DNA sequence: CTGTTAGCGCATTCAA
DNA sequence: TTGAATGCGCTAACAG
């Protein structure tokens, strides 16, 4: 039954190598995992045999034997379109890859935008097809989090934490403090003497939005009344629409705190179209340090998240949890990047 | 050694379930894989025991036993920037997921933009961590293709084939015929009576570019002389620059065949800026049916690739190859989508 | 229809 | 330092 059809020629196993080298399978295994308990000459012997037979360790056999798949699942539940438009995930992913490199553990991406995909990914996790999960988009979704906790796998939440909420003790989390970042932006604007400040934020139901708003308010208090706070989508066209509305409601505005760099770019476009100069008439601060921030005209002052660093930390944390460590919480600092726009 | 620390309580195995239900492990296995050879009552018995013990099949043990990981690797080597700006991959991926759904096999994404990532992914494949590979970006890279062939896994190339080149017999391939698509575009333009036609294509070193150019020439022949064919990048700003150049070289132009929808959008912007109306003064046809094609003003006439269908077919092909079928080649039709621009 | 038995490919304990 | 023996968790051929 094992091997229903004839074995493909050339898929050598440790047994084949052992025979070829005239040693035991245990010795071959030791060489593979370069154990110090092997004589240089037997080691050479085995390595020669490995070369001759074209042997490659079989991941499935190894996984069963060592009790690990040497794989971490990177879960992305974000809708595809957003994912493929927003370099945020690309950068975090790069960090994860770096952080895992050298560990012998491979990051493997689980795209789970739909309910069905989510179910499949969870099934894999339940079955222990990976050793840990790094969740890149842990937006409020208690059911998913419960399901993840239910897998019994180490889980690292990366990049989001609702401010105020105590971190979930079931998971590790890595996040940058949106509230503190927003404070940086608001402080910068306030110190520059602007006082007719408005905010154009992302979707109200997104924790990043509420956190950023709170940061703005921490600094500005009554100088940022509710009627000057607009909520819209994350992208440029949403920024355009919202800014048009804003200028009707509050034409005296001399500074705009944007919820994202793309929103900020939309705001600049509208202001320019209406003959208002940025930053002399209206200062603008973005958020995220998206690539367009540097190339925008004028270049955007913005708040940078250490995305790649987040990914690296998430990877390290996952590895430590696989090794038995308890969940930890890491908070990273946001950074104000001053450019021309405000 | 197996189980170095105490076993986490609650990770039940078939043996536990068997004991709990008072049957053999084989019977438990039969229930899990719902074999018809089990009495309804024993089945209930076992399912109860499964519920009580919280048993979940372990993917590693199962993979070793059945000789498959029940996983296909989706390889993406595209540089991140392009990848995250182009919804193409998102759509193909959606198709792959659909095509695999119900098969019990899960798509798992291997992001391999860098050389190091590529090496890691290949190592996984060599080790048979997946049952097949769907390569979404098989641009000319003979070394990578050789490496993939070397894994001995079934491989499906999706979405690219150099025209003229015989399909590589080592792999299955799924592709849409760029040449035929380009012919559709050129024919549509020629039939509308335009005759001062120019083309603004993507990078010359990209097979899609040369294929599309060939399709244009198949139809237009000498009516599309080389001096009216420009090559640039894939995106809007590249389209803007190239169109400006084009208008200097060939101001009489009355129709533009664009190598991508983003290029076409750039062209429209330049033409509008110069006071030329689209399509009355200059007709434009894009390529790809990118989301911006429908929302552009005027909406773009373009050539649609059946991306999702490509993904589905790739998935089906991969499953068939896993089942032992030889490589196949599938060509899908492009479709002319007529909108306002030409 | 069910249980017994064996083995997938590897890592590791124990004894030599 | 090496080999023999054992088991990871599961499936499947075989016998009953």
């Amino acid at each position: 039954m094992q091997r229903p059809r004839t074995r493909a020629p050339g898929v050598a196993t440790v047994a084949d190598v052992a025979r070829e080298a005239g040693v035991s399978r245990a010795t071959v295994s030791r060489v593979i995992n370069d154990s110090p308990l092997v004589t240089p000459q037997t080691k050479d012997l085995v390595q020669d045999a490995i070369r001759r037979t074209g042997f490659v360790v079989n991941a499935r056999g190894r996984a069963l034997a060592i009790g690990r798949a040497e794989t971490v699942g990177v879960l992305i539940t974000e809708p595809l379109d957003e994912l493929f438009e927003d370099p945020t995930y690309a950068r975090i992913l790069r960090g994860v890859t770096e952080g895992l490199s050298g560990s012998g553990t491979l990051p493997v991406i689980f795209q789970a935008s739909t309910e069905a995909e989510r179910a499949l990914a969870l099934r894999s996790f339940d079955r222990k097809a990976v050793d840990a999960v790094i969740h890149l988009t842990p937006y409020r979704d208690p059911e998913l989090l419960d399901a993840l906790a239910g897998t019994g796998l180490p889980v690292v939440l990366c990049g989001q934490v609702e401010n105020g909420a105590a971190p979930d003790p079931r998971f590790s989390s890595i996040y940058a403090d949106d509230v503190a970042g927003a404070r940086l932006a608001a402080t910068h604007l306030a110190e520059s003497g602007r006082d007719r400040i408005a905010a154009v934020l992302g979707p109200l139901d997104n924790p990043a939005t509420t956190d950023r708003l709170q940061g703005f308010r921490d600094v500005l208090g009554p100088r940022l009344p509710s009627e000057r706070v607009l909520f819209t989508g994350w992208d440029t066209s949403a920024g355009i629409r919202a800014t048009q509305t804003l200028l009707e409601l509050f034409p005296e505005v001399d500074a705009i705190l944007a919820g994202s760099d793309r929103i900020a770019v939309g705001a600049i476009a509208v202001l320019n179209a209406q003959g208002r100069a940025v930053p002399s008439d209206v200062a603008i601060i973005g958020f995220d340090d998206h690539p367009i921030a540097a190339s925008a005209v004028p270049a955007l002052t913005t708040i940078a998240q250490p995305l790649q660093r987040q990914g690296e930390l998430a990877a390290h944390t996952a590895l430590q949890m696989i090794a038995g460590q308890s969940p930890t919480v890491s908070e990273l600092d946001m950074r104000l990047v001053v450019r021309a726009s405000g």
Side-chain angles (χ1 to χ4, degrees), chain A:
Chain A
M1 45 110 250
Q2 294 80 2
R3 210 171 302 151
R5 68 201 73 198
T6 53
R7 172 204 286 220
V11 271
T13 70
V14 275
D16 299 322
V17 177
R19 200 176 314 115
E20 178 81 15
V23 300
S24 73
R25 297 180 307 165
T27 301
V28 174
S29 177
R30 291 194 186 97
V31 172
I32 293 169
N33 298 287
D34 45 31
S35 150
L37 310 171
V38 197
T39 311
Q41 45 257 42
T42 43
K43 186 167 176 177
D44 285 353
L45 213 64
V46 172
Q47 279 171 337
D48 258 22
I50 288 179
R51 209 165 299 119
R52 282 199 302 279
T53 54
F55 169 83
V56 181
V57 193
N58 179 299
R60 298 190 287 258
R62 179 176 166 90
L64 186 56
I66 68 177
R68 284 176 291 119
E70 301 184 294
T71 275
V72 316
V74 177
L75 183 64
I76 303 184
T77 56
E78 191 80 343
L80 281 176
D81 313 7
E82 185 64 23
L83 169 63
F84 282 82
E85 246 165 60
D86 189 340
T88 301
Y89 299 107
R91 294 207 225 149
I92 300 181
L93 262 174
R94 162 100 28 255
V96 170
T97 306
E98 298 274 320
L100 245 33
S101 74
S103 71
T105 294
L106 196 74
V108 150
I109 303 167
F110 288 77
Q111 168 85 45
S113 338
T114 68
E115 192 48 56
E117 289 170 348
R118 224 185 315 269
L120 283 173
L122 281 168
R123 204 183 56 145
S124 277
F125 298 160
D126 272 330
R127 294 179 167 202
K128 307 285 187 294
V130 301
D131 302 328
V133 176
I134 296 178
H135 186 8
L136 286 201
T137 46
Y139 294 125
R140 23 180 117 200
D141 185 344
E143 290 170 38
L144 178 59
L145 294 182
D146 287 346
L148 283 173
T151 64
L153 291 175
V155 174
V156 181
L157 307 184
C158 186
Q160 297 279 337
V161 153
E162 282 182 73
N163 186 262
D168 193 320
R170 299 173 295 180
F171 312 120
S172 284
S173 45
I174 316 289
Y175 66 100
D177 188 344
D178 269 308
V179 180
R183 281 194 212 110
L184 288 177
T187 304
H188 179 70
L189 221 48
E191 287 177 348
S192 73
R194 308 278 172 162
D195 206 24
R196 301 188 299 277
I197 300 177
V200 179
L201 291 160
L204 182 49
D205 62 358
N206 188 298
T209 295
T210 47
D211 285 355
R212 289 169 192 186
L213 177 55
Q214 183 186 325
F216 295 155
R217 285 190 165 140
D218 285 352
V219 174
L220 299 172
R223 290 194 285 168
L224 183 66
S226 299
E227 60 272 24
R228 296 187 201 158
V229 177
L230 277 70
F231 302 94
T232 184
W234 289 116
D235 61 5
T236 302
S237 59
I240 289 176
R241 287 194 305 276
T243 306
Q244 284 165 338
T245 307
L246 173 67
L247 292 181
E248 287 166 21
L249 293 173
F250 182 48
E252 321 87 271
V253 63
D254 70 352
I256 297 177
L257 290 161
S260 78
D261 289 332
R262 288 186 287 164
I263 291 173
V265 165
I268 291 177
V270 171
L271 290 165
N272 283 344
Q274 302 206 358
R276 307 208 197 185
V278 175
S280 53
D281 295 334
V282 183
I284 295 186
I285 299 192
F287 217 109
D288 292 337
D289 202 21
H290 187 287
I292 57 167
S295 60
V297 181
L300 278 177
T301 292
T302 188
I303 302 297
Q305 293 196 46
L307 295 173
Q308 174 152 353
R309 187 88 194 90
Q310 272 181 47
E312 284 174 31
L313 250 176
H316 292 155
T317 306
L319 290 174
Q320 289 171 333
M321 289 179 80
I322 291 171
Q325 200 190 64
S326 301
T328 60
V329 175
S330 312
E331 179 176 318
L332 299 179
D333 286 333
M334 298 263 193
R335 208 174 81 251
L336 175 72
V337 178
V338 179
R339 296 204 183 91
S341 74

